[in-house]
Amino acid sequence: MKLISSAASPFVRKVRVLVHEMGLTDAITEQQVTTTAFQSDASVIAANPLGKIPALVRDDAATLYDSRVITRFLNDTNDGAFYPAARIWETLTLEATADGIMETAVSMAYEVRLRPENEQSADWVEAQWQKTSRAIAAVNNRWMSHLAGPLDMSHIAVACALSYVDLRHDARNWRNGNDALAAWHEAFKQRDSMKATSA
């Protein structure tokens, strides 16, 4: 199988961290691409008509895309335990929250990195940050007991989301007022899978 990816994408990193955690690095090759919301790489478009990454090209079946589809596929086809039945709805909800943080943080980055300065909207950037900030606070205030439990896909998603906020929006200081989550993230970053996939 081949994973079409870009090192800076938090959605790609989610998949890459899972691949490392499950010991699947020898089963999946990576194709690094340079792609943006305004100019998608041709190989990305061929794999996903939406022009988004990651995409998992399978040898004998349809290409899969959307990080949550890919991670669920890898988990379910390799006897993984990253979507535990006993707490599946909590895992999926927290993963969706993390993905929402990624989406708003990526949107902020696109606004200032891809659009000409005279077309940028400070109001848009701030609105996206408010969503990001609220979601981070919600994880800190409501989900720490889950994050303290056995490793599942939501842990990986939250860690990748927060690391992306660090990468693109470090000046926003998301840690302020989120002490428990900040301490958890600092510890989680020390996992081999996180170190191996750092941008």
Side-chain angles (χ1 to χ4, degrees):
M1 292 182 288
K2 178 174 66 177
L3 181 68
I4 300 177
S5 61
S6 175
S9 166
F11 297 100
V12 168
R13 192 178 188 190
K14 270 179 57 181
V15 176
R16 296 180 69 223
V17 169
L18 180 65
V19 167
H20 280 268
E21 290 285 351
M22 295 190 69
L24 298 175
T25 53
D26 291 340
I28 300 173
T29 61
E30 291 189 36
Q31 178 185 334
Q32 293 288 325
V33 298
T34 300
T35 189
T36 73
F38 289 158
Q39 188 171 7
S40 297
D41 181 270
S43 63
V44 175
I45 294 173
N48 177 356
L50 298 172
K52 294 182 177 183
I53 52 176
L56 184 66
V57 181
R58 297 183 290 171
D59 299 331
D60 56 355
T63 295
L64 303 178
Y65 46 85
D66 188 281
S67 62
R68 277 180 279 188
V69 173
I70 295 170
T71 56
R72 194 69 183 264
F73 167 78
L74 293 175
N75 180 79
D76 289 3
T77 56
N78 292 279
D79 297 320
F82 289 86
Y83 288 95
R87 56 183 192 281
I88 188 62
W89 302 117
E90 291 78 9
T91 299
L92 291 174
T93 299
L94 186 51
E95 183 184 9
T97 303
D99 280 7
I101 293 169
M102 294 180 198
E103 289 165 4
T104 54
V106 167
S107 180
M108 289 171 64
Y110 280 174
E111 184 71 10
V112 298
R113 292 167 63 88
L114 299 182
R115 291 170 65 88
E117 187 173 355
N118 66 317
E119 295 180 8
Q120 295 174 16
S121 169
D123 289 343
W124 170 262
V125 171
E126 288 307 311
Q128 300 314 300
W129 177 249
Q130 289 303 313
K131 295 175 185 179
T132 305
S133 181
R134 286 197 305 267
I136 290 173
V139 176
N140 182 77
N141 296 333
R142 304 175 193 170
W143 289 98
M144 293 312 301
S145 61
H146 186 95
L147 291 176
L151 177 66
D152 64 34
M153 195 61 220
S154 68
H155 295 69
I156 294 172
V158 169
C160 291
L162 296 176
S163 292
Y164 183 79
V165 175
D166 281 341
L167 177 68
R168 296 295 190 213
H169 311 294
D170 187 51
R172 297 278 183 167
N173 191 19
W174 67 263
R175 290 171 176 79
N176 185 33
N178 297 300
D179 296 348
L181 184 57
W184 175 87
H185 182 241
E186 193 60 34
F188 199 91
K189 287 192 305 182
Q190 306 312 310
R191 297 183 73 87
D192 290 343
S193 61
M194 291 293 287
K195 291 180 178 179
T197 58
S198 180

